[in-house]
Amino acid sequence: LSSLIMDAQTPGEDTYIHTDMIGSEVRKELIIPQINGYQVLKGDFHLHTDFSDGCVWPDYRVREAWYNGLDVIAITDHLEIRSHDEELDMKKFDFNASSRLAAEEAKYYDLLVVPGIEISRSKPFGHMNALFVEDSNKANVKDEMDALNAMVKQGAYIIWNHPGWPDDKCTMYPMHEELIAKGVIKGVEVCNDVVSYPIAFDWVNEYGLHPFANSDAHGPVDSYYRGLRPMTLLLVDDKSLDGVKEAMFAGRTIAFFAGNLMGKEEYVTAMAHECLESRMLNNMGDFAEYTVTNKSDIPFLIQVEGWNVPMLVGPRQTVKSRFGLNDMVTLKNCIVGKGQYVS
């Protein structure tokens, strides 16, 4: 490498290559601890490319996700929308192409790619992602239920996408109730892009749905979000596609968006316990001084009973404060239902 750099710097008397201007591929490592003996993977399971109505190539999605600290993604191009037919001559590509190209690029990165497709119809059906599909082409049929059933027959995992789109109303139609009762719909996006759906928080408890937070990105992610992109945390036995699939079907997911964790109480509580560490400094009877240390990259918003303003313990920060020994402490960013938090 050194000899190559030296050669590059001196190609001739009239040219000079500034190798110090060449950027390295740098990954942002997100510190999120293991919980309950499970490894936690960071994933985005709703992404688009040039093969539907996105504006990036599949290999870009892989590199982008790796830079952002993710471990697994799904390419879920629309089945019904092929915006670049003329430019790309889509007749040369089938509906598996974007996932296949992403998976080929992922071989050069420590990243998993889940093959998927988005079935996009008007309400009441809405949009649904089918993950772990074997052949997306078989969903290319007129009837939406036939398309969905074709993917389910392949063992696909189904996520109900952005339930409040496009009319800002999260309506649980009889169709959805039936599909949930039959075990067809297993996941729901409680957050899509920068929009969350509080009603869907309750669906996690009422219907046993698994919560997801996904970007639904069509353009480059880095030029869009101010902080971390939305992501879904998966509690897996091992980092593999089989491990991801097993965790999804078992419902071990936590939605992570805008600094919030949303999911089943047992998982969100376990995550908070692993991330936060408190130590008493001085016991003064009815109250005491503590330090609270956040060992993760997940911020925590602590509301103490009687306080007007919650206390933020940011990523990898320690905060010193005074607490009443009998005060109820609520983590306002650890959501377990609509208006319900870990306390």
Side-chain angles (χ1 to χ4, degrees):
L1 180 62
S2 297
S3 64
L4 288 173
I5 291 174
M6 290 299 292
D7 289 343
Q9 288 177 331
T10 57
E13 294 182 359
D14 298 331
T15 60
Y16 183 90
I17 298 177
H18 294 268
T19 55
D20 57 322
M21 295 177 65
I22 300 173
S24 300
E25 292 191 287
V26 178
R27 172 179 167 87
K28 178 180 175 62
E29 292 293 351
L30 301 178
I31 298 176
I32 299 177
Q34 295 186 9
I35 63 172
N36 296 348
Y38 292 110
Q39 182 180 353
V40 178
L41 299 186
K42 291 85 66 181
D44 189 343
F45 301 98
H46 193 168
L47 292 167
H48 296 280
T49 74
D50 287 316
F51 285 81
S52 59
D53 56 347
C55 59
V56 301
W57 202 249
D59 61 354
Y60 180 90
R61 285 286 177 233
V62 170
R63 295 192 299 272
E64 174 186 65
W66 187 82
Y67 299 152
N68 291 167
L70 298 189
D71 305 298
V72 54
I73 62 172
I75 304 296
T76 54
D77 280 316
H78 295 283
L79 184 72
E80 299 82 0
I81 304 172
R82 308 272 274 187
S83 300
H84 308 289
D85 276 3
E86 293 183 3
E87 297 92 337
L88 297 178
D89 189 7
M90 284 298 185
K91 293 180 180 179
K92 296 180 179 179
F93 302 100
D94 65 6
F95 291 100
N96 301 311
S98 55
S99 291
R100 183 173 63 250
L101 290 170
E104 290 173 2
E105 180 70 9
K107 295 176 182 178
Y108 303 98
Y109 296 85
D110 188 19
L111 193 85
L112 301 173
V113 175
V114 175
I117 195 75
E118 182 172 13
I119 303 171
S120 310
R121 306 294 172 95
S122 59
K123 283 192 170 184
F125 184 87
H127 291 198
M128 298 192 195
N129 276 348
L131 306 182
F132 297 101
V133 297
E134 297 175 358
D135 184 4
S136 297
N137 296 300
K138 293 185 178 179
N140 188 27
V141 294
K142 183 177 181 179
D143 185 81
E144 56 202 25
M145 293 306 300
D146 288 342
L148 187 66
N149 289 330
M151 298 297 93
V152 172
K153 287 180 180 179
Q154 295 180 14
Y157 182 95
I158 305 300
I159 302 173
W160 181 7
N161 295 339
H162 41 66
W165 186 90
D167 54 2
D168 296 328
K169 295 180 181 179
C170 293
T171 305
M172 176 73 74
Y173 291 98
M175 172 188 292
H176 299 121
E177 292 181 331
E178 182 179 354
L179 289 172
I180 293 169
K182 290 181 177 179
V184 174
I185 296 178
K186 297 186 179 297
V188 62
E189 285 186 337
V190 298
C191 177
N192 174 281
D193 189 20
V194 296
V195 181
S196 63
Y197 306 101
I199 293 176
F201 299 167
D202 282 343
W203 293 347
V204 172
N205 299 312
E206 184 178 353
Y207 294 94
L209 293 175
H210 312 151
F212 283 77
N214 297 315
S215 70
D216 194 3
H218 288 67
V221 167
D222 286 340
S223 63
Y224 184 69
Y225 294 104
R226 181 178 298 175
L228 295 176
R229 63 197 281 175
M231 62 186 73
T232 302
L233 307 181
L234 283 173
L235 283 58
V236 303
D237 287 316
D238 63 273
K239 185 179 178 180
S240 66
L241 286 178
D242 286 340
V244 170
K245 187 173 184 178
E246 187 278 329
M248 278 193 189
F249 275 92
R252 297 194 301 272
T253 71
I254 302 173
F256 180 32
F257 58 95
N260 297 295
L261 297 170
M262 193 283 134
K264 294 180 181 178
E265 187 168 5
E266 62 175 304
Y267 298 141
V268 177
T269 302
M271 179 65 73
H273 277 294
E274 290 295 331
C275 294
L276 295 175
E277 182 176 270
S278 63
R279 187 165 69 91
M280 183 186 290
L281 299 177
N282 186 17
N283 189 338
M284 292 171 272
D286 292 337
F287 59 91
E289 289 186 336
Y290 282 86
T291 57
V292 180
T293 299
N294 182 359
K295 299 178 288 184
S296 76
D297 278 326
I298 301 171
F300 286 90
L301 199 60
I302 298 177
Q303 178 69 58
V304 179
E305 186 179 7
W307 286 11
N308 293 325
V309 179
M311 179 179 74
L312 174 65
V313 186
R316 287 175 274 178
Q317 288 184 348
T318 295
V319 176
K320 185 169 80 73
S321 189
R322 184 174 293 183
F323 297 88
L325 294 182
N326 295 313
D327 287 346
M328 176 66 73
V329 176
T330 300
L331 303 179
K332 297 291 286 188
N333 68 309
C334 293
I335 305 168
V336 295
K338 183 179 180 182
Q340 302 175 28
Y341 310 94
V342 171
S343 295

